[in-house]
Amino acid sequence: MSNPLQIGLLVFPHVTQLDLTGPAQVFSSLPDVAVHLIWKRIEAVPSDSVIALTPTTTMADCPQLDVICVPGGFGTDELMLDEEVLEFLRKQEKGAKYVTSVCTGSLVLGAAGLLKGYEAATHWTAVDALPFFGASVSRQRVCVDRNRITGGGITAGIDFALTLVSMLINRQAAEMIQLRMEYNPAPPFNAGSPETAPAEVLAAMKERVAPAQARRLEFVRRAVGTSI
Amino acid sequence: MSNPLQIGLLVFPHVTQLDLTGPAQVFSSLPDVAVHLIWKRIEAVPSDSVIALTPTTTMADCPQLDVICVPGGFGTDELMLDEEVLEFLRKQEKGAKYVTSVCTGSLVLGAAGLLKGYEAATHWTAVDALPFFGASVSRQRVCVDRNRITGGGITAGIDFALTLVSMLINRQAAEMIQLRMEYNPAPPFNAGSPETAPAEVLAAMKERVAPAQARRLEFVRRAVGTSI
C-alpha cells in the first residue's frame, strides 16, 4: 500500500448522503490517510437530501486508490449505464487492495463486471438485482468475499467501514474509532430490517418503494444488455 | 407547528460531520419537511473531515424553526463564546417546539443558558463540562427532558433523530425511516462506549483526547465567566 493510505469514495447526483458520510467519518479518523471524494467535476453535487457534497478530485485526476468505495442511492440507476464511471472502476480495481460498496453501490460494481462470481450485499429492496450481474446475494450486513467488501443499506456503511479498518490496519485501530464515535447503537425501535419491522410498516414501505424498484430493474436490464 | 415542519441544523467550522449528516438523513426522509443548514454565511464550511458542508440559509434569514439542533465537534469550543450564535439559539428557543443537540452540541446550548436545570447528554469525553452550565449529566444515549432532546456522541445522532421523529409525528413514521435506512446495526466490535471498550483502547483514547478536553474546559470556563 502507498503511504498514506489512499481511500476514495465516489460522489454522484442523488447519492444517499449517509452511505458516504458514515464511512467518510470512520476513514477520516485514521491517523495516516488521504480520503478522496471523486466525481466527473469538482463542483458541488446534490445528494438525496439537503446535503450537497463537494468532490475533492475528478476521476481523471484521482490517484491509484488502495480502497475504492461506491455508495448507493437512486443515482446508481444512471451510473449502471455510465461507461465513464464503469471504466474508472475497472481501472481502479486493477491496483486496489479492496473494491467496496455500501447499499445499492454494489449494483454499480456489478454493472462494471466486478462482482461476477462474488457474494455481495446491497440494500434490502435491491437484492433481486444483484444476480443479473453474476453475483450471489448475501444478507449479511457486511459481506467479505476475497477483496470485495460490500455493505447493506445506508446505515450499514458504518459497520462496513469499521470492518474494513480492522482489515486494513488492525482490530484495535477500528475499536479506537468506534469508541471515539461512541458507536454503541441503541435504535429506539426494532424496525431496521424487513425481518424485524412490524408487518404494516413493511407493507407500507414496500408499496412506497415499488416504483423505484421497477425503475431500478429497468436500468439493470439495460446495463446487462449493453455489457459484453 | 408550521406546515411543512421546519427543522434547522447549525453548521460551523470543524463540526463533526456525522453529528449533522446522520440526523439530516433521518429528517430529510420525512414526507413534509424543510431541513435547513444554518450558518453566518452560505459559503461552504469545512467540517472535521473531508466533507465540506454548504449552508442553505444564514442565521439572519432563517425562519422560526420547529426544531433547532446543534451538532458537536471541536468547533463547539469557539461557539461557546460566540454571542451571535448564542443569541440566535436563545431567539429560536422562544418559538421552537424542540431544542436539541448531538454530541458536544449540548455545550453550546449550555453556553446559551438553555440547559439550566435540565438533564442532558453529550459525548462521553465531555460529561465533566455540562455541570458548569447548570445541567445535570445523563449517560443515556438520547436524553429527553421536557422539550430539550440531547444525544450522546457522534453516532448517537441517528438514535436521537429517530426518537425525535417519533415525538414529532409518531412511532410508525420513525419505524418507516428506520426500515428505509436499514438501521439494524451490527457493530463488528464492542468498543463503542467507555464502559465496554477494551481497557487498552480506552486508555489510549483518553491519552489522545486529553489535550482537546483541556482546551474545551478552558473555553467552558471562559463561557461561564462571561455569562450573566
Coordinates of all heavy atoms in Angstrom, one line a residue, chain A residues 137-197:
Chain A
V137 N -26.4 -13.2 -3.7 CA -26.8 -12.3 -2.6 C -26.5 -12.7 -1.2 O -26.7 -13.9 -0.8 CB -28.4 -12.2 -2.7 CG1 -28.9 -11.3 -1.6 CG2 -28.8 -11.6 -4.1
S138 N -25.8 -11.8 -0.5 CA -25.6 -12.1 0.9 C -26.6 -11.2 1.7 O -26.8 -10.1 1.4 CB -24.2 -11.6 1.3 OG -24.1 -11.5 2.7
R139 N -27.2 -11.8 2.7 CA -28.0 -10.9 3.6 C -27.2 -10.6 4.9 O -27.8 -10.1 5.9 CB -29.3 -11.6 3.9 CG -30.3 -11.5 2.8 CD -30.7 -10.1 2.3 NE -31.6 -9.5 3.3 CZ -31.5 -8.2 3.8 NH1 -30.6 -7.5 3.3 NH2 -32.4 -7.8 4.6
Q140 N -25.9 -10.8 4.9 CA -25.1 -10.2 6.0 C -25.1 -8.7 5.9 O -25.2 -8.2 4.8 CB -23.7 -10.7 5.9 CG -23.5 -12.2 6.2 CD -22.1 -12.6 6.0 OE1 -21.3 -12.6 6.9 NE2 -21.7 -13.0 4.8
R141 N -24.9 -8.0 7.0 CA -24.8 -6.6 7.0 C -23.5 -6.1 6.3 O -23.5 -5.1 5.6 CB -24.9 -6.1 8.4 CG -25.2 -4.6 8.5 CD -25.8 -4.3 9.9 NE -25.8 -2.9 10.1 CZ -26.8 -2.0 9.6 NH1 -27.8 -2.5 9.0 NH2 -26.7 -0.8 9.9
V142 N -22.4 -6.9 6.5 CA -21.2 -6.6 5.8 C -20.7 -7.9 5.2 O -20.5 -8.9 5.9 CB -20.1 -6.0 6.8 CG1 -18.8 -5.8 6.0 CG2 -20.6 -4.8 7.5
C143 N -20.6 -7.9 3.9 CA -20.2 -9.2 3.2 C -18.7 -9.1 2.7 O -18.4 -8.2 2.0 CB -21.1 -9.4 2.0 SG -20.6 -10.9 1.0
V144 N -17.9 -10.0 3.2 CA -16.5 -10.0 2.8 C -16.3 -11.2 1.9 O -16.4 -12.4 2.4 CB -15.5 -10.1 4.0 CG1 -14.1 -10.2 3.6 CG2 -15.8 -8.9 5.0
D145 N -16.0 -11.0 0.6 CA -15.6 -12.2 -0.3 C -14.3 -11.8 -1.0 O -14.3 -10.9 -1.9 CB -16.8 -12.4 -1.2 CG -16.5 -13.6 -2.1 OD1 -15.4 -14.2 -2.0 OD2 -17.5 -14.0 -2.9
R146 N -13.3 -12.4 -0.5 CA -11.9 -12.1 -1.0 C -11.7 -10.5 -0.9 O -11.9 -10.1 0.2 CB -11.7 -12.6 -2.5 CG -11.6 -14.1 -2.5 CD -11.9 -14.7 -3.9 NE -13.4 -14.7 -4.0 CZ -14.0 -15.1 -5.2 NH1 -13.4 -15.4 -6.3 NH2 -15.4 -15.1 -5.2
N147 N -11.4 -9.8 -1.9 CA -11.2 -8.4 -1.7 C -12.4 -7.5 -2.1 O -12.3 -6.3 -2.2 CB -9.9 -7.9 -2.4 CG -10.2 -7.6 -3.9 OD1 -11.1 -8.2 -4.5 ND2 -9.4 -6.8 -4.5
R148 N -13.6 -8.1 -2.2 CA -14.8 -7.4 -2.4 C -15.5 -7.3 -1.0 O -15.9 -8.3 -0.4 CB -15.8 -8.0 -3.3 CG -15.4 -8.1 -4.8 CD -14.3 -7.4 -5.4 NE -14.3 -7.5 -6.8 CZ -13.2 -7.6 -7.6 NH1 -12.0 -7.6 -7.1 NH2 -13.3 -7.7 -8.9
I149 N -15.7 -6.0 -0.5 CA -16.3 -5.8 0.8 C -17.6 -4.9 0.5 O -17.4 -3.8 0.1 CB -15.4 -5.1 1.8 CG1 -14.0 -5.5 1.6 CG2 -15.9 -5.3 3.2 CD1 -13.6 -6.8 2.1
T150 N -18.7 -5.5 0.7 CA -20.0 -4.8 0.4 C -20.9 -4.7 1.6 O -21.0 -5.7 2.3 CB -20.7 -5.5 -0.8 OG1 -20.8 -6.9 -0.5 CG2 -19.9 -5.4 -2.1
G151 N -21.4 -3.5 1.8 CA -22.3 -3.3 3.0 C -23.7 -3.3 2.5 O -24.1 -3.1 1.4
G152 N -24.6 -3.6 3.5 CA -26.1 -3.5 3.2 C -26.5 -2.0 3.1 O -25.7 -1.1 2.8
G153 N -27.8 -1.8 3.4 CA -28.4 -0.5 3.2 C -27.9 0.6 4.1 O -27.8 0.4 5.3
I154 N -27.7 1.8 3.6 CA -27.4 3.1 4.2 C -26.6 3.0 5.5 O -25.4 3.2 5.5 CB -28.8 3.8 4.4 CG1 -29.6 3.8 3.1 CG2 -28.6 5.2 4.9 CD1 -30.9 4.6 3.1
T155 N -27.2 2.8 6.7 CA -26.5 2.8 7.9 C -25.5 1.7 8.0 O -24.6 1.8 8.9 CB -27.5 2.7 9.1 OG1 -28.3 1.5 8.9 CG2 -28.3 3.9 9.3
A156 N -25.6 0.6 7.2 CA -24.6 -0.4 7.2 C -23.2 0.1 6.8 O -22.2 -0.6 7.1 CB -25.0 -1.6 6.3
G157 N -23.2 1.3 6.3 CA -21.9 1.8 5.9 C -20.9 2.0 7.1 O -19.7 1.9 6.9
I158 N -21.5 2.3 8.2 CA -20.6 2.5 9.4 C -20.0 1.1 9.8 O -18.8 1.0 10.1 CB -21.5 3.1 10.6 CG1 -22.0 4.5 10.1 CG2 -20.6 3.2 11.9 CD1 -23.0 5.1 11.1
D159 N -20.9 0.1 9.9 CA -20.4 -1.3 10.2 C -19.3 -1.7 9.1 O -18.3 -2.3 9.5 CB -21.5 -2.3 10.3 CG -22.5 -1.9 11.3 OD1 -22.1 -1.5 12.4 OD2 -23.7 -2.0 11.1
F160 N -19.6 -1.5 7.9 CA -18.7 -1.8 6.8 C -17.4 -1.1 7.0 O -16.3 -1.7 6.9 CB -19.4 -1.3 5.5 CG -18.4 -0.9 4.4 CD1 -17.7 -1.8 3.7 CD2 -18.2 0.5 4.2 CE1 -16.7 -1.4 2.7 CE2 -17.3 0.9 3.3 CZ -16.5 0.0 2.5
A161 N -17.4 0.2 7.3 CA -16.1 0.9 7.4 C -15.3 0.5 8.6 O -14.1 0.4 8.5 CB -16.4 2.4 7.4
L162 N -15.9 0.2 9.7 CA -15.2 -0.3 10.8 C -14.6 -1.7 10.5 O -13.4 -1.9 10.9 CB -16.1 -0.4 12.1 CG -16.5 1.0 12.7 CD1 -17.6 0.8 13.7 CD2 -15.3 1.7 13.3
T163 N -15.3 -2.5 9.9 CA -14.8 -3.8 9.5 C -13.6 -3.7 8.6 O -12.6 -4.3 8.7 CB -15.9 -4.6 8.7 OG1 -17.0 -4.8 9.6 CG2 -15.4 -6.0 8.3
L164 N -13.7 -2.8 7.6 CA -12.6 -2.6 6.6 C -11.4 -2.0 7.3 O -10.3 -2.4 7.0 CB -13.1 -1.6 5.5 CG -12.1 -1.4 4.4 CD1 -11.7 -2.7 3.7 CD2 -12.7 -0.4 3.3
V165 N -11.6 -1.1 8.3 CA -10.4 -0.6 9.1 C -9.7 -1.7 9.8 O -8.5 -1.8 9.8 CB -10.8 0.5 10.0 CG1 -9.7 0.8 11.1 CG2 -11.2 1.8 9.3
S166 N -10.5 -2.6 10.3 CA -9.8 -3.7 11.1 C -9.0 -4.6 10.1 O -8.0 -5.2 10.5 CB -10.9 -4.6 11.8 OG -11.6 -5.4 10.9
M167 N -9.4 -4.7 8.8 CA -8.7 -5.4 7.8 C -7.5 -4.7 7.3 O -6.4 -5.2 7.0 CB -9.6 -5.8 6.7 CG -10.8 -6.7 7.1 SD -12.1 -6.9 5.8 CE -11.2 -7.9 4.6
L168 N -7.7 -3.3 7.1 CA -6.6 -2.5 6.6 C -5.5 -2.3 7.6 O -4.3 -2.3 7.2 CB -7.1 -1.1 6.2 CG -7.9 -1.0 4.9 CD1 -8.7 0.4 4.9 CD2 -7.0 -1.0 3.7
I169 N -5.9 -2.1 8.8 CA -4.9 -1.8 9.9 C -4.9 -2.9 10.9 O -4.2 -3.9 10.8 CB -5.2 -0.4 10.6 CG1 -5.6 0.6 9.6 CG2 -4.0 0.0 11.5 CD1 -4.5 1.3 8.8
N170 N -5.8 -2.8 11.9 CA -6.0 -4.0 12.8 C -7.2 -3.7 13.6 O -7.8 -2.6 13.5 CB -4.7 -4.2 13.7 CG -4.4 -2.9 14.5 OD1 -5.2 -2.2 15.0 ND2 -3.1 -2.6 14.6
R171 N -7.6 -4.6 14.4 CA -8.8 -4.5 15.2 C -8.7 -3.3 16.2 O -9.7 -2.6 16.4 CB -9.0 -5.8 16.0 CG -10.2 -5.8 16.9 CD -10.4 -7.1 17.6 NE -11.5 -6.9 18.6 CZ -12.4 -7.9 18.9 NH1 -12.3 -9.0 18.3 NH2 -13.3 -7.6 19.8
Q172 N -7.6 -3.1 16.8 CA -7.5 -2.0 17.8 C -7.7 -0.6 17.1 O -8.4 0.2 17.7 CB -6.2 -2.0 18.5 CG -6.2 -1.0 19.7 CD -5.1 -1.3 20.7 OE1 -4.8 -2.4 21.0 NE2 -4.5 -0.2 21.3
A173 N -7.3 -0.5 15.9 CA -7.5 0.8 15.2 C -9.0 1.0 15.0 O -9.5 2.1 15.1 CB -6.8 0.8 13.8
A174 N -9.7 -0.1 14.7 CA -11.2 0.0 14.5 C -11.9 0.3 15.8 O -12.8 1.1 15.9 CB -11.7 -1.2 13.8
E175 N -11.4 -0.3 16.9 CA -12.0 -0.1 18.2 C -11.8 1.3 18.7 O -12.7 1.9 19.3 CB -11.5 -1.1 19.2 CG -11.9 -2.6 18.9 CD -11.3 -3.6 19.8 OE1 -10.1 -3.4 20.2 OE2 -12.0 -4.6 20.1
M176 N -10.6 1.9 18.4 CA -10.4 3.3 18.8 C -11.4 4.2 18.1 O -12.0 5.1 18.7 CB -9.0 3.7 18.3 CG -7.8 3.0 19.1 SD -7.5 3.8 20.7 CE -6.5 5.2 20.2
I177 N -11.6 4.0 16.8 CA -12.6 4.8 16.1 C -14.0 4.6 16.6 O -14.8 5.5 16.8 CB -12.5 4.5 14.6 CG1 -11.1 5.0 14.1 CG2 -13.6 5.3 13.8 CD1 -10.8 4.6 12.6
Q178 N -14.3 3.3 16.9 CA -15.7 3.0 17.4 C -15.9 3.8 18.7 O -17.0 4.3 18.9 CB -15.8 1.5 17.6 CG -17.3 1.1 17.9 CD -17.4 -0.3 18.3 OE1 -16.5 -1.1 18.2 NE2 -18.7 -0.7 18.6
L179 N -14.9 3.8 19.6 CA -15.0 4.5 20.9 C -15.1 6.0 20.7 O -16.0 6.6 21.3 CB -13.8 4.1 21.7 CG -13.8 4.8 23.1 CD1 -15.0 4.5 23.9 CD2 -12.5 4.4 23.9
R180 N -14.3 6.5 19.8 CA -14.4 8.0 19.5 C -15.7 8.4 19.0 O -16.3 9.4 19.4 CB -13.3 8.4 18.5 CG -13.3 9.8 18.2 CD -12.2 10.4 17.4 NE -12.5 11.8 17.2 CZ -13.3 12.3 16.3 NH1 -13.7 11.5 15.3 NH2 -13.6 13.6 16.2
M181 N -16.3 7.5 18.1 CA -17.6 7.8 17.5 C -18.8 7.4 18.4 O -19.9 7.5 18.1 CB -17.7 7.1 16.2 CG -16.8 7.7 15.1 SD -16.8 6.8 13.5 CE -18.6 6.9 13.1
E182 N -18.4 6.9 19.6 CA -19.4 6.5 20.6 C -20.5 5.6 19.9 O -21.7 5.7 20.0 CB -20.1 7.6 21.3 CG -20.6 7.3 22.7 CD -20.8 8.4 23.7 OE1 -20.3 9.5 23.5 OE2 -21.6 8.2 24.7
Y183 N -19.9 4.6 19.1 CA -20.8 3.8 18.3 C -21.3 2.6 19.1 O -20.7 1.5 19.0 CB -20.1 3.3 17.0 CG -21.0 2.6 16.0 CD1 -22.3 3.0 15.8 CD2 -20.6 1.4 15.4 CE1 -23.2 2.3 14.9 CE2 -21.5 0.7 14.6 CZ -22.7 1.2 14.3 OH -23.6 0.5 13.5
N184 N -22.2 2.8 19.9 CA -22.8 1.9 20.8 C -24.3 2.0 20.6 O -25.1 2.4 21.4 CB -22.5 2.5 22.2 CG -22.9 1.6 23.4 OD1 -22.9 0.4 23.2 ND2 -23.2 2.2 24.5
P185 N -24.8 1.6 19.4 CA -26.1 2.0 18.9 C -27.2 1.4 19.8 O -27.1 0.3 20.3 CB -26.2 1.4 17.5 CG -25.1 0.3 17.5 CD -24.0 0.8 18.4
A186 N -28.3 2.2 19.9 CA -29.4 1.8 20.7 C -30.7 2.3 19.9 O -31.3 3.3 20.3 CB -29.4 2.4 22.1
P187 N -31.0 1.6 18.8 CA -32.2 2.1 18.0 C -33.4 2.1 18.9 O -33.6 1.1 19.6 CB -32.3 1.0 16.9 CG -31.0 0.3 16.8 CD -30.4 0.4 18.2
P188 N -34.2 3.2 18.8 CA -35.3 3.2 19.7 C -36.4 2.2 19.3 O -37.3 1.9 20.2 CB -35.8 4.7 19.5 CG -35.2 5.1 18.2 CD -34.0 4.4 18.0
F189 N -36.4 1.7 18.1 CA -37.4 0.8 17.7 C -36.7 -0.4 17.0 O -35.5 -0.3 16.7 CB -38.4 1.4 16.7 CG -38.9 2.7 17.3 CD1 -38.6 3.9 16.7 CD2 -39.8 2.7 18.4 CE1 -39.1 5.1 17.3 CE2 -40.2 3.9 18.9 CZ -39.9 5.1 18.4
N190 N -37.4 -1.4 16.7 CA -36.8 -2.7 16.1 C -37.2 -2.9 14.7 O -37.5 -4.0 14.2 CB -37.1 -3.9 17.0 CG -36.3 -5.1 16.6 OD1 -35.2 -4.9 16.1 ND2 -36.8 -6.3 16.9
A191 N -37.3 -1.8 13.9 CA -37.8 -1.8 12.5 C -36.8 -1.8 11.5 O -37.1 -1.5 10.3 CB -38.8 -0.7 12.4
G192 N -35.5 -2.1 11.8 CA -34.4 -1.8 10.9 C -34.2 -2.8 9.8 O -33.3 -2.6 9.0
S193 N -35.0 -3.9 9.7 CA -34.8 -4.8 8.6 C -36.2 -5.4 8.3 O -37.1 -5.4 9.1 CB -33.9 -6.0 9.0 OG -34.6 -6.9 9.8
P194 N -36.4 -5.9 7.1 CA -37.7 -6.5 6.7 C -38.1 -7.6 7.6 O -39.2 -7.9 7.8 CB -37.5 -6.9 5.3 CG -36.0 -6.8 5.0 CD -35.4 -5.9 6.0
E195 N -37.1 -8.3 8.2 CA -37.3 -9.4 9.1 C -37.9 -9.0 10.5 O -38.6 -9.7 11.1 CB -36.1 -10.2 9.3 CG -35.6 -11.0 8.1 CD -34.8 -10.2 7.1 OE1 -34.3 -9.1 7.5 OE2 -34.8 -10.6 5.9
T196 N -37.6 -7.8 10.9 CA -38.0 -7.3 12.2 C -39.0 -6.2 12.2 O -39.6 -6.0 13.3 CB -36.7 -6.8 13.0 OG1 -36.2 -5.6 12.4 CG2 -35.6 -7.9 13.1
A197 N -39.2 -5.6 11.1 CA -40.2 -4.4 11.1 C -41.6 -4.9 11.3 O -41.9 -6.0 10.9 CB -40.0 -3.7 9.8

